[in-house]
Amino acid sequence: QSTWGREASKQLPQMRARVVPWRDWGEWVEVKEMLFSQNQPLVAQAMWRIKTWRARGRLPVSIETTVALFEVLGLEKTIHASDLALRSMFAMVLVRFVNGLVDASQKGVYAQSIASIADRLQLPRWLVDVRHESTHGVLPSLALLEAAATRTLLWLREQYWDKQNEHLNKLNQSITTKINQYVTSRKANVESVKLQKIFRRFANLTSRDRLRWLLIPALLDGGFLSVESCEFWSPLLLHLHSTTQVFLPTLLVACCNRLASMPVGGDQRAWYLERWALFCLEHSRTSNTFFQKAAQTIVTDLRPGHSRSCLKVFRECALKFCNPGSKFHNVALVLDDSIDIWTTGEDLEDSTSTERPAQARAEVRAEAPLIMKNCSWVSTSVWEGSPLGSNSQDLRDLEGLAYI
């Protein structure tokens, strides 16, 4: 086992991968801030976002209960429901909440009591009693159920939302510290051996999810990659890629996603995102299936009106990963001298290279506007026979790379 592998095994906790319905932890934090903003339009927006999460997959009990309590408390103020109806709704949410917590905490051969689990989770005992009465006894009064709902919301905010947010902040702080240590070492021109020790501190960030959700956002959005040259950062970035084989493709798609959301005019940030996307392509290999998937995502997502930087990256991807003669490869050849025309979606009549045969120029002019209008519609025929076409099973397995 390599030194890097031993270091990673020491730092990485033993845990199972878990699929979550939110795009990334940035979206989770955004929803958390909106939920507890006490601004009704923002709260409503957060609720709709969580409904989208629910459509994607199963939600944690804490999020389900938070949404349910917000909805019941909102219904109480907006509709004229009977006392019994309101009591039943509150009771159902509280029963499901306590049962969900207990079921998730029942570990071992013998079942534990609800009270003991509640004590371990720091859940007020009287909420367990309310759950018991709602299930087996007389339905509690509306005033008691409202108080229990308010206390449950407070518990959820303290024990789930705030704690998870605090954990994310600590992770981000740890990542920032490691990156700053690398910056300090590089500026001090430390020896290669000492630099390897710095690299090993990134060992617990080499899982695909941590690269995508933590390290790469810290590098791109934290401004680190915008202040120094490619030569300054290349030792770290290339080392991360050599150990994961997925770092540079993930960085490439992250840069393109940010470029695609920027205005056509662009700015200084667009320039450095373009620079790092081209750096990734410069060090890419067509045999790497992660790069193949990244290239396919970038090329087939091209749309009219994208910025010059987006189109430059598209051109390099198509020239490197599309077979010569394919539609996207032909369009990339046209783009060599006509980036400005493509950003406005104008006709390509005057921009086609005179060195290409007349028939080929006519075919490219005919096909290019269609590709620009609806790239995904022609993506199947375009990619057939390309380096990606022979590896379709691997591409389906790597579907998540598109959603950085």
Side-chain angles (χ1 to χ4, degrees):
Q1 189 180 25
S2 65
T3 303
W4 179 277
R6 290 195 298 271
E7 188 72 20
S9 64
K10 292 177 183 177
Q11 296 187 41
L12 280 174
Q14 296 299 317
M15 56 189 300
R16 293 183 305 167
R18 178 179 298 178
V19 177
V20 294
W22 42 91
R23 182 182 66 251
D24 53 33
W25 284 106
E27 183 184 27
W28 183 94
V29 171
E30 182 183 1
V31 168
K32 183 251 183 188
E33 295 298 329
M34 290 191 296
L35 262 182
F36 298 99
S37 64
Q38 297 186 351
N39 181 314
Q40 287 306 314
L42 291 179
V43 172
Q45 186 177 346
M47 299 282 280
W48 276 108
R49 190 81 64 86
I50 293 175
K51 288 181 179 179
T52 303
W53 293 353
R54 188 184 288 121
R56 295 174 185 166
R58 185 175 180 178
L59 289 173
V61 174
S62 297
I63 297 181
E64 284 279 14
T65 305
T66 302
V67 173
L69 288 174
F70 270 107
E71 289 182 346
V72 173
L73 290 170
L75 287 174
E76 184 185 21
K77 299 175 181 178
T78 57
I79 66 173
H80 299 288
S82 65
D83 180 83
L84 179 60
L86 289 173
R87 288 161 64 196
S88 299
M89 286 190 289
F90 277 115
M92 176 60 72
V93 174
L94 293 171
V95 168
R96 286 178 57 83
F97 164 63
V98 176
N99 288 350
L101 283 184
V102 170
D103 290 344
S105 302
Q106 288 284 13
K107 299 175 182 178
V109 179
Y110 302 102
Q112 305 173 58
S113 68
I114 295 178
S116 64
I117 294 176
D119 290 340
R120 190 173 71 248
L121 297 175
Q122 300 179 11
L123 185 68
R125 181 71 67 88
W126 69 275
L127 290 180
V128 177
D129 295 337
V130 170
R131 173 261 175 201
H132 182 82
E133 285 298 314
S134 299
T135 306
H136 305 291
V138 178
L139 198 62
S141 66
L142 182 59
L144 180 58
L145 289 168
E146 287 175 343
T150 303
R151 185 64 185 87
T152 301
L153 269 179
L154 179 61
W155 185 92
L156 286 167
R157 181 169 186 176
E158 293 175 346
Q159 300 297 323
Y160 174 70
W161 295 98
D162 288 348
K163 278 194 173 182
Q164 183 64 45
N165 194 53
E166 181 182 355
H167 177 66
L168 292 173
N169 289 336
K170 287 181 178 179
L171 278 175
N172 288 327
Q173 185 178 0
S174 173
I175 292 170
T176 302
T177 300
K178 293 173 181 178
I179 296 174
N180 283 326
Q181 288 172 346
Y182 172 81
V183 172
T184 303
S185 300
R186 283 287 287 160
K187 289 182 176 179
N189 293 320
V190 299
E191 300 175 0
S192 177
V193 176
K194 292 183 179 179
L195 205 57
Q196 291 294 325
K197 293 181 179 179
I198 298 292
F199 292 159
R200 285 197 288 272
R201 295 173 185 173
F202 288 84
N204 65 337
L205 297 172
T206 55
S207 69
R208 188 169 165 187
D209 285 339
R210 293 195 176 194
L211 289 177
R212 182 171 61 181
W213 287 347
L214 298 172
L215 181 56
I216 288 177
L219 289 169
L220 292 178
D221 303 329
F224 288 102
L225 297 186
S226 63
V227 296
E228 299 290 349
S229 65
C230 292
E231 182 182 358
F232 182 90
W233 289 102
S234 60
L236 174 62
L237 303 190
L238 295 178
H239 191 90
L240 287 170
H241 182 67
S242 68
T243 58
T244 64
Q245 297 301 308
V246 74
F247 177 78
L248 289 182
T250 309
L251 178 62
L252 170 62
V253 177
C255 289
C256 291
N257 284 346
R258 285 160 174 77
L259 281 171
S261 64
M262 299 179 71
V264 172
D267 54 17
Q268 183 68 18
R269 187 166 184 263
W271 175 82
Y272 93 77
L273 287 171
E274 173 196 331
R275 178 185 68 174
W276 284 111
L278 296 178
F279 171 86
C280 294
L281 285 170
E282 180 184 347
H283 294 87
S284 66
R285 293 183 178 180
T286 55
S287 59
N288 184 314
T289 55
F290 294 99
F291 267 117
Q292 292 174 5
K293 176 58 181 177
Q296 184 191 34
T297 299
I298 292 165
V299 171
T300 58
D301 280 353
L302 179 68
R303 293 292 182 272
H306 276 182
S307 66
R308 291 169 53 88
S309 296
C310 275
L311 295 175
K312 287 180 181 178
V313 176
F314 160 83
R315 179 186 62 195
E316 297 304 318
C317 281
L319 290 176
K320 189 160 189 174
F321 288 92
C322 295
N323 281 342
S326 67
K327 294 181 180 180
F328 282 135
H329 192 275
N330 287 342
V331 171
L333 293 174
V334 174
L335 278 174
D336 279 340
D337 300 314
S338 52
I339 292 287
D340 287 325
I341 294 177
W342 280 78
T343 57
T344 60
E346 297 176 8
D347 186 57
L348 298 174
E349 181 72 35
D350 299 329
S351 62
T352 308
S353 171
T354 56
E355 297 179 1
R356 294 175 59 78
Q359 182 178 358
R361 293 203 307 271
E363 292 176 355
V364 171
R365 284 199 302 272
E367 293 174 352
L370 175 61
I371 295 175
M372 287 297 294
K373 289 180 181 178
N374 192 354
C375 288
S376 60
W377 182 77
V378 297
S379 62
T380 302
S381 60
V382 169
W383 288 99
E384 186 177 357
S386 72
L388 297 170
S390 62
N391 222 348
S392 58
Q393 182 60 49
D394 289 337
L395 295 177
R396 283 195 294 272
D397 292 340
L398 300 174
E399 189 65 26
L401 189 61
Y403 303 102
I404 295 181

